[in-house]
Amino acid sequence: MKYINYLNRAIEYSFYALFLFVPLVFTGATSELFEFPKMWLTFVITIIIVTSWITKMILQGKIHIQRTPLDIPLILFLSSQIVSTIFSLDPHVSLWGFYSRFNGGLLSIISYIFLYYAFVSNLSLKQVLNTLKVGLFAGSLVALWGLPSHFGIDPTCYVFRGSFDTSCWTEAFRPTIRIFSTLGQPAWLAAYFSALIPLSIAYALSYSQNNKLTLAIQNKKFIGYLILAFMFYAGLTYTDTRGGFLGFWIANLLFWVIAYYKKILSRKNFFQYFLLINLTFIIFNFFQGVPISQISRFTYPELTKSSSTISTDPVFKPAAGALGGTDSGKIRLLVWKGAIDGWIDHPIIGTGVETFAYAYYKYRPPEHNLTSEWDFLYNKAHNEYLNYLTTTGILGLGSYLAFISLFIFQTGKWLVAYSKQKKTNEKAEDQTPESISHMLILGLFAGWISILISNFFGFSVVIINLYLFIIPAFVFILGNFLNLEKSFSFSLSPFRPANSSHAKLNRYQITLLIGMSLTSALLLFSLYRYWEADKAYSDGSNLHKGGSYQNAYPFLVKAVSLKTNEPIYKDELSLNMGTLAAAFYLQKDASSAAMLKEQSIALNDEVIGKHPNNIVFWKNRVRLFYTLAQGDQSNEKIYYDQALESIKKAQELAPNDAKVSYNLGVLLGQTGDIEKAVEVLENTVKLKADYRDAYYALGLFYRELATDDNDFVTDPAMQQKAVSTYEYILKNIDPEDKQVKKSLESWK
């Protein structure tokens, strides 16, 4: 039937579009430039693929899902995610994923697994090869987009501001030091390139025909794929990312060891190709550096640095990261410790899919306050495995590892079988189409292993998860692992298969097709509304942060009206209305202020009521009541009491967060409980010994306890505590602190 052909084409080209456009797409219109549009595009293409697949089965009158070796672990993994979502600290977050990224939420996991089965059930060997080439082509575009930024020429800045430089990025994003191209973060780009390099090498070697190197270099395709591999490797180096770099080299070593011992590459010419490719990588690193400090000191840039430069440049301090601050490895160990503690309290099903941002606060080690990222929101464990362990428990991690282990086992079986086949057929020196497929399998497997290693030091993003779940499908089809007779297949009994182009659809088929079309249209429309809501939220949030509160209001109202069940929008609107209410109070417009105040508090009550474990919402509730107190000063005690209750709840959720402890101490002081404020602030400076603001507030409260209403000192010991606290700031934190100096002078 011709419609079946159309549907097959739709599925095929949708997969091509998936691997081509997902790594490339980004936009400045949404709240997150990179991951949000990539995830949304994946959702849209998944709906198109699954709709086409189901429509095809309805027309054929039977359900057909290809069975694979990974069925059991994938079903267990999906089940663990569903159970974890149901009992989550925040089911909304678990369903959609952490806002702005969404990758890792239950809906994204469902999408990846659906894509896996749609691929193995509908595509052929030829289409696998086409998909791989599309993926490499997309990688080349990502590399060409990102490499110039290392030299100060960033196409992204041209898109956003019309200038070919890196001026559009803040200090937190410096592509001249660490490129990120269209993926948005150096570690994500490194993981992407480290997965593509082995495949590029495999393609190059598949065109060598096992000839000597002198003959292979005359093949344009061999040279082209090698250039592609070197381009990816240059990009990997310029990301300056340890996880991706280690991931590639471990996978690369695995690639060559297997190729040698299993004779996938002719041993006669093995070392020629091995030395050409790997020495080129090493020479490039010698002149350009490596992201591992223990090795980097032997590279040309480091050897040519003078000892004085090394000793004075803050970038090279032992405890500093690439952009200054605490070494990322030290921070990562602290996050991992908190992740394990979180799992211990929720061992079976975890805290809930993608709830790490809220779970970690409760278990965050106090030492984290002494790092340069002490006030960052960690929404991932920076270790994919610990992230699954904390958020989905032993069931989630166990099934995830079962999926990984079983695929490694299946590939190992293939390697053994291929080795035996080579022994019985050693007469053929030239590569056959079958041996080319085996070379690509090895490249895919090595790239897949690099993803596993990169994920150990970080976490997956959309394009990485796509490759993680779809590479096994590539391998199974390339290696002919699938038994086409073994499938989940049964006839839809009321249906008469439409086997010819003239066959008419029966009423059951028509009903299901209409239902499927409406469902798909509804899903796509829902994604569109969510997209538009995010754009409005992004505009409103930016305007609010910039002080344009009235201009922000209509955008935030629009966001809430478009997506009424998204708490992020309601929380932001609540803060905006509270700020406007405070402004109206100061302008003596009591009626407008009262209306906005009531709406703001009601909206905030709704958000907190439905999401009581989200510490970010509790912090924003503190901000709301504190802001209202500044405007409606006649009722400021009521607002301060509400803010105090909110910050106490926040401290329950984040007992070791120094900023929460500081705010609690300040609010206690402002509500008149000075002694309790001192107690809390003394604990705060124990959590964070370099916390200037906490010491400053503590000194003020010491001074208040030391003096009477006329500012005369009645408690010399307490007065000395106040003076010593401020002297500590000048001695250990900021010797030029003018505010502290002024206070000390006035006290004398």
Side-chain angles (χ1 to χ4, degrees):
M1 186 175 184
K2 62 180 180 180
Y3 297 114
I4 302 297
N5 293 331
Y6 293 152
L7 293 168
N8 285 332
R9 285 293 183 90
I11 295 170
E12 176 185 355
Y13 285 98
S14 293
F15 272 110
Y16 298 160
L18 190 69
F19 286 94
L20 175 61
F21 293 115
V22 166
L24 295 173
V25 67
F26 66 91
T27 176
T30 52
S31 60
E32 204 276 343
L33 278 66
F34 300 97
E35 278 295 280
F36 184 94
K38 294 181 194 304
M39 191 72 257
W40 242 240
L41 179 60
T42 301
F43 282 149
V44 169
I45 294 178
T46 300
I47 291 171
I48 294 172
I49 290 173
V50 173
T51 300
S52 300
W53 182 23
I54 294 176
T55 302
K56 174 182 167 183
M57 289 189 287
I58 293 172
L59 292 178
Q60 292 176 327
K62 64 176 181 179
I63 299 295
H64 172 77
I65 303 174
Q66 177 62 51
R67 296 287 302 276
T68 76
L70 302 179
D71 293 345
I72 292 176
L74 284 176
I75 291 172
L76 291 175
F77 176 63
L78 180 58
S79 300
S80 72
Q81 304 304 291
I82 293 172
V83 171
S84 182
T85 296
I86 293 171
F87 297 99
S88 171
L89 291 176
D90 194 324
H92 176 82
V93 171
S94 293
L95 179 66
W96 283 98
F98 186 81
Y99 191 84
S100 78
R101 290 184 181 165
F102 297 99
N103 174 64
L106 178 62
L107 291 178
S108 71
I109 297 298
I110 291 172
S111 296
Y112 300 135
I113 292 177
F114 272 27
L115 289 170
Y116 168 81
Y117 280 104
F119 200 97
V120 296
S121 300
N122 293 280
L123 298 190
S124 65
L125 175 61
K126 179 182 177 181
Q127 291 159 341
V128 169
L129 297 175
N130 290 340
T131 306
L132 293 179
K133 290 179 180 178
V134 168
L136 290 177
F137 177 69
S140 69
L141 296 180
V142 172
L144 291 172
W145 191 276
L147 287 172
S149 64
H150 178 75
F151 306 97
I153 304 170
D154 194 345
T156 304
C157 288
Y158 181 78
V159 171
F160 288 154
R161 292 190 178 178
S163 58
F164 266 124
D165 53 33
T166 59
S167 61
C168 66
W169 301 111
T170 64
E171 282 298 305
F173 299 88
R174 295 165 64 183
T176 53
I177 295 179
R178 301 182 70 199
I179 71 170
F180 45 82
S181 188
T182 59
L183 268 72
Q185 212 271 3
W188 306 342
L189 182 62
Y192 179 59
F193 282 154
S194 67
L196 292 182
I197 297 170
L199 180 60
S200 305
I201 295 172
Y203 257 113
L205 294 176
S206 70
Y207 286 106
S208 72
Q209 293 297 312
N210 266 333
N211 286 318
K212 291 183 178 179
L213 184 59
T214 53
L215 295 175
I217 60 177
Q218 299 176 27
N219 188 317
K220 293 180 180 180
K221 291 183 178 180
F222 172 79
I223 296 299
Y225 280 109
L226 279 190
I227 292 173
L228 191 62
F230 296 147
M231 189 163 61
F232 292 156
Y233 189 76
L236 171 62
T237 299
Y238 292 148
T239 63
D240 196 27
T241 302
R242 284 174 287 190
F245 190 79
L246 284 172
F248 163 70
W249 275 103
I250 293 172
N252 184 53
L253 179 63
L254 179 69
F255 176 94
W256 290 102
V257 168
I258 293 175
Y260 179 79
Y261 280 103
K262 300 303 179 182
K263 300 181 181 179
I264 296 174
L265 189 65
S266 169
R267 288 189 178 180
K268 183 171 65 175
N269 303 312
F270 173 87
F271 288 103
Q272 293 179 333
Y273 295 107
F274 174 80
L275 292 175
L276 167 70
I277 294 171
N278 290 286
L279 282 180
T280 304
F281 291 158
I282 293 171
I283 291 170
F284 180 82
N285 281 137
F286 176 75
F287 287 102
Q288 297 297 316
V290 293
I292 300 174
S293 58
Q294 293 87 342
I295 302 175
S296 181
R297 58 185 174 178
F298 300 109
T299 62
Y300 181 77
E302 294 299 307
L303 292 173
T304 55
K305 283 183 180 292
S306 66
S307 58
S308 59
T309 302
I310 295 175
S311 63
T312 59
D313 188 344
V315 173
F316 293 95
K317 287 183 179 180
L323 299 178
T326 310
D327 178 69
S328 61
K330 179 180 179 181
I331 297 174
R332 191 170 279 114
L333 289 175
L334 292 172
V335 176
W336 292 356
K337 182 179 184 299
I340 293 172
D341 290 341
W343 165 68
I344 290 173
D345 267 9
H346 304 82
I348 307 301
I349 59 173
T351 60
V353 175
E354 280 299 279
T355 57
F356 188 84
Y358 317 121
Y360 178 62
Y361 270 107
K362 188 173 183 179
Y363 306 99
R364 194 174 82 159
E367 298 87 349
H368 201 148
N369 292 303
L370 302 177
T371 70
S372 58
E373 298 181 2
W374 68 282
D375 58 347
F376 282 23
L377 174 65
Y378 274 80
N379 53 61
K380 293 281 190 179
H382 287 264
N383 179 304
E384 189 83 342
Y385 311 100
L386 287 180
N387 198 78
Y388 276 122
L389 184 65
T390 304
T391 58
T392 62
I394 198 67
L395 291 180
L397 178 62
S399 55
Y400 184 70
L401 292 177
F403 156 65
I404 291 171
S405 302
L406 189 55
F407 178 61
I408 293 174
F409 174 74
Q410 289 293 329
T411 309
K413 280 177 58 179
W414 162 78
L415 288 171
V416 172
Y418 180 74
S419 178
K420 292 179 179 178
Q421 178 186 347
K422 287 287 287 184
K423 288 180 179 179
T424 60
N425 193 25
E426 292 186 353
K427 61 175 183 175
E429 278 294 323
D430 290 340
Q431 287 177 297
T432 63
E434 183 181 2
S435 63
I436 292 173
S437 291
H438 291 153
M439 180 64 73
L440 296 182
I441 289 173
L442 180 56
L444 286 166
F445 180 65
W448 198 76
I449 293 296
S450 79
I451 291 175
L452 301 183
I453 298 167
S454 297
N455 282 349
F456 182 85
F457 297 101
F459 53 90
S460 64
V461 289
V462 179
I463 188 60
I464 298 303
N465 257 350
L466 279 174
Y467 275 107
L468 182 73
F469 282 92
I470 307 298
I471 280 179
F474 294 156
V475 169
F476 291 158
I477 296 174
L478 283 169
N480 196 25
F481 290 0
L482 302 176
N483 185 343
L484 300 181
E485 296 180 357
K486 288 185 177 181
S487 63
F488 178 74
S489 180
F490 64 89
S491 175
L492 298 170
S493 56
F495 296 174
R496 173 177 50 78
N499 295 320
S500 71
S501 60
H502 302 290
K504 293 182 179 180
L505 300 175
N506 61 41
R507 60 182 179 178
Y508 299 105
Q509 289 171 302
I510 292 173
T511 301
L512 283 179
L513 289 174
I514 292 174
M516 173 55 60
S517 299
L518 291 176
T519 302
S520 300
L522 183 63
L523 290 173
L524 291 172
F525 182 66
S526 176
L527 288 175
Y528 168 75
R529 284 177 65 88
Y530 213 154
W531 176 274
E532 289 298 310
D534 178 80
K535 287 168 60 179
Y537 162 71
S538 178
D539 291 337
S541 179
N542 290 333
L543 287 167
H544 181 86
K545 291 172 183 175
S548 299
Y549 306 118
Q550 285 184 303
N551 293 332
Y553 177 76
F555 287 103
L556 295 173
V557 169
K558 179 182 178 182
V560 171
S561 65
L562 286 171
K563 188 65 177 176
T564 56
N565 65 343
E566 179 48 65
I568 295 285
Y569 303 159
K570 292 182 178 180
D571 186 58
E572 189 74 11
L573 178 58
S574 172
L575 284 174
N576 178 258
M577 289 192 297
T579 305
L580 290 174
F584 280 126
Y585 275 121
L586 295 175
Q587 295 169 11
K588 309 303 181 184
D589 186 350
S591 60
S592 297
M595 180 185 68
L596 283 168
K597 178 198 73 173
E598 290 174 3
Q599 292 177 347
S600 174
I601 294 174
L603 200 57
N604 192 267
D605 287 344
E606 178 189 341
V607 171
I608 288 297
K610 292 182 178 179
H611 306 275
N613 296 307
N614 188 320
I615 187 176
V616 176
F617 292 157
W618 284 104
K619 287 183 175 182
N620 286 340
R621 187 174 174 86
V622 175
R623 288 174 56 196
L624 170 63
F625 285 111
Y626 192 86
T627 300
L628 289 172
Q630 310 311 303
D632 186 10
Q633 296 178 357
S634 61
N635 294 308
E636 67 174 10
K637 185 179 186 309
I638 296 174
Y639 298 130
Y640 281 141
D641 287 343
Q642 289 279 7
L644 183 59
E645 290 304 310
S646 300
I647 198 66
K648 286 180 179 177
K649 176 61 178 179
Q651 192 183 47
E652 290 178 15
L653 297 173
N656 293 327
D657 188 303
K659 183 168 282 188
V660 170
S661 181
Y662 163 72
N663 286 323
L664 174 59
V666 170
L667 280 169
L668 284 166
Q670 289 179 326
T671 53
D673 194 346
I674 305 299
E675 291 184 355
K676 184 63 176 177
V678 166
E679 180 185 336
V680 170
L681 288 171
E682 286 177 340
N683 181 64
T684 303
V685 296
K686 289 179 182 177
L687 289 172
K688 183 171 174 60
D690 58 351
Y691 201 167
R692 183 266 178 197
D693 291 346
Y695 280 109
Y696 186 80
L698 183 59
L700 282 179
F701 291 139
Y702 280 148
R703 170 71 180 180
E704 193 166 340
L705 290 174
T707 57
D708 59 18
D709 293 341
N710 297 315
D711 206 32
F712 286 110
V713 175
T714 58
D715 188 339
M718 195 63 69
Q719 168 69 6
Q720 183 55 46
K721 276 190 172 185
V723 172
S724 298
T725 299
Y726 277 15
E727 287 177 344
Y728 180 89
I729 295 175
L730 295 176
K731 181 179 179 181
N732 297 286
I733 299 176
D734 184 4
E736 303 301 323
D737 194 316
K738 295 180 181 180
Q739 195 174 16
V740 170
K741 287 182 177 180
K742 185 178 179 180
S743 295
L744 285 173
E745 186 63 29
S746 67
W747 292 350
K748 292 179 182 178

